[in-house]
Amino acid sequence: MRHAAATLGSGNLQLAVVLPEGEDLNEWIAVNTVDFFNQINMLYGTISEFCTPTKCEVMSAGPKYEYHWADGVQIKKPLKCSAPRYIDYLMTWVQSQLDNEEVFPSAVGVPFSKNFMSIAKTILKRLFRVYAHIYHQHFSDVMGLGEEAHLNTSFKHFIYFVQEFNLIDRRELAPLQELIDKLISRDKEKYK
Amino acid sequence: TTRTRRVKKYSPEAYKFYMEQHIENVIKGYKARSSRRWQLEKEMTKFSLPDDTKSEMRKMLFKKESNYIRLKRAKIDLDMFQMI
Ligand SMILES: [Zn+2]
């Protein structure tokens, strides 16, 4: 996988993901999860016209990884569908979690539920798949729009965040492990 | 059958602008938060506050910061960038 590793020059994002002293872990996870959803939502929105049922017959991240949609509630048996359909289900499902006051309380003082962390992890695991699909199947579209630095920075920030709190199982990250290693090692050089 | 897709389209310009601003805000925000904490510590030392008062004041700052990020999360609305 050959990808330009252009990023937006900024500052050390790895420092920015660390839990601030005195901050509630769930609150920190929540605000970052919403941020990443917004970024990925917008990003996919810029290339969605290129992600068609013809071009992306299945939800894949390269030839080795294919995803079938199930949410355990409305769709229990994993459904093999096109990438646009899968991502549509995914983003709609994530949005519904974010809009659910019982999962993401918006009023000050209302605590998070006991299963918040597990839901957040599922959200992030699924959002990762959108990045994976975009990198594997739509990177040329991203380049055509001049967005590669933005995508790389967004993804790098996402990876620092999920790694800091161990939010996605390593096996799930396999489709982009090479890219992850490359983006992180470049930062290590830069911030030595 | 043709399904209506629920994911919205966004213009590349809007996305790029958003990302550039966002990354800058992430870095600025983290620096500003550190700075507020450092300021508080400086002030408390300056006025030689007793330890339990210091602890109280830290807790208040932490609570304010936490409430702030909750409100920020609850207010984000991307619809203004949506392509018509
Ligand atoms: Zn696609």
Side-chain angles (χ1 to χ4, degrees):
Chain A
M1 214 170 73
R2 186 194 57 82
H3 290 110
T7 53
L8 304 174
S10 45
N12 194 341
L13 289 172
Q14 190 169 29
L15 296 178
V17 301
V18 172
L19 181 69
E21 193 190 328
E23 184 57 78
D24 176 65
L25 177 63
N26 287 336
E27 201 70 71
W28 188 245
I29 301 296
V31 73
N32 280 283
T33 300
V34 169
D35 271 355
F36 289 117
F37 170 76
N38 288 333
Q39 288 174 49
I40 293 162
N41 193 35
M42 274 196 113
L43 166 66
Y44 183 74
T46 67
I47 58 103
S48 62
E49 62 189 297
F50 306 113
C51 191
T52 65
T54 322
K55 174 159 187 248
C56 302
E57 263 176 44
V58 294
M59 174 64 177
S60 64
K64 283 200 291 180
Y65 302 98
E66 189 177 306
Y67 304 109
H68 299 162
W69 178 255
D71 60 15
V73 178
Q74 288 181 332
I75 297 175
K76 291 194 171 123
K77 188 164 161 242
L79 170 75
K80 179 168 164 157
C81 57
S82 69
R85 191 165 192 188
Y86 184 102
I87 294 172
D88 202 72
Y89 277 132
L90 191 161
M91 299 305 269
T92 305
W93 176 83
V94 175
Q95 182 75 71
S96 73
Q97 299 303 311
L98 301 188
D99 290 343
N100 187 347
E101 285 288 329
E102 288 176 16
V103 185
F104 285 83
S106 59
V108 161
V110 177
F112 288 90
S113 64
K114 288 213 157 55
N115 65 347
F116 172 76
M117 193 54 73
S118 128
I119 295 176
K121 283 179 173 178
T122 305
I123 291 171
L124 294 164
K125 175 183 79 173
R126 291 177 177 167
L127 289 178
F128 170 83
R129 294 174 181 180
V130 184
Y131 277 122
H133 179 74
I134 292 175
Y135 270 112
H136 278 275
Q137 317 299 139
H138 297 284
F139 196 72
S140 57
D141 300 316
V142 166
M143 284 206 307
L145 298 173
E147 298 176 338
E148 62 271 29
H150 306 75
L151 165 60
N152 286 337
T153 304
S154 172
F155 181 65
K156 190 173 68 169
H157 187 198
F158 177 83
I159 287 301
Y160 278 142
F161 172 68
V162 302
Q163 286 187 160
E164 178 71 18
F165 302 101
N166 243 310
L167 299 168
I168 301 182
D169 197 273
R170 202 189 153 83
R171 288 165 301 173
E172 287 282 337
L173 301 178
L176 294 178
Q177 193 58 57
E178 224 181 279
L179 175 65
I180 290 168
D181 293 340
K182 179 159 90 167
L183 287 172
I184 290 178
S185 72
R186 279 173 122 251
D187 256 18
K188 282 207 171 87
E189 274 306 301
K190 201 160 120 186
Y191 296 108
K192 242 180 351 200
Chain B
T1 57
T2 325
R3 283 177 87 249
T4 321
R5 293 176 67 172
R6 286 168 288 184
V7 285
K8 297 170 184 161
K9 284 177 88 163
Y10 286 94
S11 88
E13 286 67 45
Y15 168 68
K16 287 189 273 192
F17 178 75
Y18 174 79
M19 274 310 300
E20 288 160 21
Q21 292 297 300
H22 179 72
I23 290 297
E24 213 179 288
N25 290 337
V26 164
I27 300 293
K28 276 192 184 152
Y30 136 80
K31 287 181 174 167
R33 186 167 177 159
S34 298
S35 170
R36 286 191 290 274
R37 175 64 194 281
W38 185 78
Q39 274 296 118
L40 177 69
E41 297 298 328
K42 207 172 80 158
E43 293 290 303
M44 294 195 299
T45 307
K46 184 165 136 188
F47 292 108
S48 306
L49 298 180
D51 281 346
D52 53 353
T53 310
K54 278 188 180 178
S55 182
E56 279 307 301
M57 300 208 67
R58 274 184 207 114
K59 281 204 192 108
M60 277 170 56
L61 177 63
F62 295 155
K63 192 99 197 90
K64 262 172 99 169
E65 299 280 10
S66 196
N67 291 346
Y68 174 68
I69 67 172
R70 174 171 289 206
L71 290 174
K72 202 164 67 102
R73 164 172 66 78
K75 279 197 176 123
I76 294 173
D77 191 328
L78 269 189
D79 281 328
M80 55 182 169
F81 291 109
Q82 188 191 338
M83 207 156 90
I84 298 160

